[in-house]
């Protein structure tokens, strides 16, 4: 199995500018246990914007853990407030979230928690979690997060779902 090894070597730690072959030797010594990195056949490539390309690459580190928000929208609901105030859900929504992963008890949960409380049930008692191809996903399901009857905007629910990179809105039929 191939895997990407990512390590930053700060230039401030270098006493002089190194040749590409010297960088490869350093990487070979630091990254490879056993078989050395083979550098024969590698050629120097001159690219005018290489620094910019490397910087863009560095900014895109590959994550193995993800948070995904799931909001339940009942038939006829049109506002964010209505959707975030849903405490129950339909059998179709239940079936949908069960397809996404397993229902886990948060208290004592030891895998990726996606920012949810696993000690005091402050972010609910259960959530949906899955592992897929080496990736861990914690789903922030709106109806499983705590509901506060005195808060029409459900800020606690939005705090989690609003910070998720991916958001799925499940729209129920009548």
């Amino acid at each position: 199995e191939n895997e990407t090894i990512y390590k930053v070597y700060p230039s401030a730690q270098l006493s002089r500018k190194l040749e590409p072959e010297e960088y490869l030797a350093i990487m070979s010594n630091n990254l490879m246990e056993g078989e050395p990195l083979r550098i024969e056949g590698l050629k120097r490539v001159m690219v005018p914007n290489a620094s910019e390309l490397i910087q863009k690459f560095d900014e895109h580190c590959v994550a193995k853990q993800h948070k995904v928000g799931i909001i339940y929208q009942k038939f006829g609901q049109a506002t964010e407030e209505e959707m975030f105030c849903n405490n129950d859900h339909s059998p179709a929504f239940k079936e949908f979230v069960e397809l996404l992963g397993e229902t886990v008890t948060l208290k004592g949960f030891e895998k990726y928690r996606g920012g949810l409380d696993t000690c005091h049930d402050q972010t609910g008692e259960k959530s949906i979690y899955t592992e897929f191809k080496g990736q861990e996903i914690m789903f922030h399901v709106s109806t499983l997060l705590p509901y506060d009857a005195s808060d029409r905007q459900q800020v606690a629910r939005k705090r989690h779902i609003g910070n998720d990179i991916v958001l799925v809105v499940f729209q129920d039929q009548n």
Side-chain angles (χ1 to χ4, degrees), residues 5-9 23-35 37:
I5 300 172
Y6 180 83
K7 187 169 182 178
V8 176
Y9 293 90
Y23 282 113
L24 287 171
I26 290 170
M27 290 188 302
S28 176
N29 291 335
N30 287 329
L31 299 178
M32 306 299 287
E33 300 285 332
E35 184 179 333
L37 183 63

Side-chain angles (χ1 to χ4, degrees), residues 87 121-125 142-148 154 156-157:
N87 279 324
D121 290 336
Q122 292 180 348
T123 54
E125 295 177 9
S142 62
T143 57
L144 297 178
L145 292 168
Y147 173 76
D148 180 357
Q154 298 304 311
R157 286 179 170 182

Side-chain angles (χ1 to χ4, degrees), residues 78-89:
T79 68
E80 183 180 280
E81 282 182 6
E82 290 173 317
M83 290 182 264
F84 275 101
C85 285
N86 288 330
N87 279 324
D88 56 355
H89 47 255

